[in-house]
Amino acid sequence: MGSITERLSKKDIEFIENQKMFFVSTAPKDGKINLSPKGLDDTFKIIDENKILWLNYFGSGNETAAHLLEDNRMTIMFCAFDGEPNILRLYCKAKAIQERDDVWEEYISHFSTKRAARQVFEVTIENVNNSCGMGVPLYDFIGQRDDLTNLYNKMSKEEHITYMKKKNLVSFDGKDTKLFED
């Protein structure tokens, strides 16, 4: 049986801190719903029981940013793939913070790796849902993939920007991400 609360508990925070990956879902008013698995160490910071900062590196798409311009709802989900079963869903409002924004330096300072950062998402939790998770399979964690960080480390800041201008200015549905616009 699931339970819904309005903020993270200490138990929720501990659960999140022990997970190796999470899933993010957003949707525009019209178009494809996006669901993305996320990993990488040091990209998810719990500021308090209702605020999270999530560091987003550039990649092949930029769906989340485009969707949030139309509808600021975001769902973040964690699943226990080992230990006690649990599924934790965070129902949130979110906005993309970019390097040009006044709070960028404050927000990016929460993360040890800043290279290749595209956005920091400021996420406000409205509801927390814990459910049983007994149907989630058990998996052994081997490690985070190095491919993405190796790629970022080979590229200069200028190359990061060139890549983002080529791949991250519009969503797969053709929606503007406003990545380099005011």
Side-chain angles (χ1 to χ4, degrees):
M1 178 81 163
S3 68
I4 296 180
T5 61
E6 293 180 354
R7 63 188 51 82
L8 293 170
S9 68
K10 288 181 183 177
K11 184 177 179 181
D12 296 333
I13 292 169
E14 183 178 302
F15 176 73
I16 289 169
E17 289 173 344
N18 286 310
Q19 302 314 303
K20 306 296 187 230
M21 68 180 295
F22 59 98
F23 301 85
V24 174
S25 182
T26 56
K29 292 180 192 247
D30 182 39
K32 294 173 187 67
I33 296 169
N34 188 56
L35 175 62
S36 294
K38 301 294 177 183
L40 300 177
D41 294 327
D42 193 40
T43 59
F44 195 88
K45 296 291 182 181
I46 299 170
I47 303 304
D48 64 37
E49 64 216 4
N50 287 100
K51 185 175 180 179
I52 293 163
L53 298 178
W54 161 41
L55 175 62
N56 188 239
Y57 296 109
F58 72 81
S60 58
N62 196 5
E63 303 309 288
T64 303
H67 292 177
L68 292 176
L69 290 171
E70 290 187 17
D71 187 337
N72 66 349
R73 295 177 304 147
M74 174 185 285
T75 300
I76 300 172
M77 184 179 76
F78 295 87
C79 298
F81 293 110
D82 61 7
E84 294 296 316
N86 190 34
I87 299 171
L88 177 71
R89 291 179 186 89
L90 307 176
Y91 300 103
C92 312
K93 299 288 186 190
K95 68 178 180 177
I97 305 299
Q98 299 179 36
E99 194 168 352
R100 69 173 180 263
D101 295 319
D102 293 340
V103 293
W104 175 259
E105 289 302 324
E106 174 191 344
Y107 284 14
I108 197 73
S109 72
H110 288 273
F111 303 96
S112 60
T113 303
K114 298 160 183 57
R115 208 172 152 78
R118 176 173 56 196
Q119 296 112 350
V120 173
F121 289 101
E122 178 186 51
V123 182
T124 303
I125 298 169
E126 295 189 323
N127 292 111
V128 177
N129 178 317
N130 277 283
S131 58
C132 71
M134 290 187 270
V136 175
L138 294 169
Y139 285 94
D140 290 326
F141 177 71
I142 297 170
Q144 296 287 352
R145 296 179 191 267
D146 295 330
D147 305 7
L148 198 57
T149 53
N150 288 343
L151 173 67
Y152 296 156
N153 289 334
K154 288 181 198 175
M155 298 169 71
S156 69
K157 171 98 176 186
E158 292 76 24
E159 290 171 313
H160 293 170
I161 291 169
T162 299
Y163 182 93
M164 287 188 282
K165 285 183 176 179
K166 181 178 178 184
K167 300 275 191 175
N168 297 162
L169 296 182
V170 292
S171 73
F172 298 137
D173 287 330
K175 296 177 183 297
D176 195 348
T177 66
K178 302 214 182 285
L179 185 58
F180 294 102
E181 297 177 27
D182 288 334

